[in-house]
Amino acid sequence: MKLAIGSDHVGFELKPIIIEYVRELGHEIEDLGTFSSERTDYPQYGKKVAEEVASGNFDAGILICGTGVGISISANKVNGIRAVVCSEPYSAKLSKEHNNTNILAFGSRVVGSELAKMIVKEWLNALFEEERHAHRIEMIHQIEK
Ligand code: RB5
């Protein structure tokens, strides 16, 4: 898969660890910022990654802020985005299988790097159960209209 990743300044230190891990798992990943630990605002990175995923330039995205909350809310404002914030792998896996999430978010103040990697792995390896759940995703699209 070709992934985009973004974070605010709070997620900045965890981001390279996740980038390296995603590459180890055999995926491509591009960093869309932020590129320093200087204080910044999470909505711009949520929006940037979400727009790139929604436009089809990337298959999926990963977002990191302090809690994962603000950056996932921002991403979910973009049509076609289903971003989930997770602090454990079970929800990450089911969010792909049932909800076909296309962005995974987590908080660098909530999860350590090893738990974050576990969450990322479960999410990347999970497959959408289209037959059972496609009509519900369509219902979500109807809400967007
Ligand atoms: C930044 O202080 C913090 O609010 C942000 O990283 C994130 O946790 C927001 O949801």
Side-chain angles (χ1 to χ4, degrees):
M1 282 214 285
K2 191 179 165 198
L3 294 141
I5 190 167
S7 76
D8 69 354
H9 54 295
V10 186
F12 177 69
E13 278 186 25
L14 179 56
K15 190 170 52 169
I17 297 168
I18 299 303
I19 290 174
E20 191 185 334
Y21 184 63
V22 167
R23 288 187 178 139
E24 271 173 32
L25 293 176
H27 301 281
E28 272 181 53
I29 186 160
E30 192 175 316
D31 188 355
L32 303 186
T34 185
F35 297 109
S36 81
S37 57
E38 196 179 317
R39 195 177 165 82
T40 184
D41 302 305
Y42 58 79
Q44 56 183 307
Y45 304 99
K47 178 176 186 277
K48 200 171 187 178
V49 168
E51 285 178 344
E52 289 291 334
V53 172
S55 68
N57 290 337
F58 292 86
D59 301 312
I62 296 176
L63 291 169
I64 315 168
C65 67
T67 58
V69 174
I71 207 159
S72 59
I73 290 174
S74 308
N76 274 318
K77 298 297 176 190
V78 175
N79 271 6
I81 292 303
R82 291 173 304 281
V84 62
V85 55
C86 287
S87 51
E88 38 74 29
Y90 180 77
S91 301
K93 182 175 189 277
L94 264 73
S95 82
K96 181 75 80 63
E97 291 178 352
H98 291 199
N99 319 112
N100 201 15
T101 47
N102 46 17
I103 291 187
L104 171 69
F106 45 86
S108 62
R109 288 174 173 158
V110 181
V111 297
S113 59
E114 291 309 307
L115 181 54
K117 285 183 196 174
M118 210 178 272
I119 292 167
V120 166
K121 189 178 184 181
E122 285 296 326
W123 186 70
L124 287 175
N125 287 344
L127 294 174
F128 178 44
E129 293 171 359
E130 194 165 358
E131 240 173 70
R132 276 181 65 202
H133 296 286
H135 72 286
R136 294 175 179 137
I137 302 306
E138 182 48 37
M139 288 170 80
I140 294 173
H141 284 319
Q142 293 304 321
I143 299 169
E144 284 176 337
K145 285 176 188 168

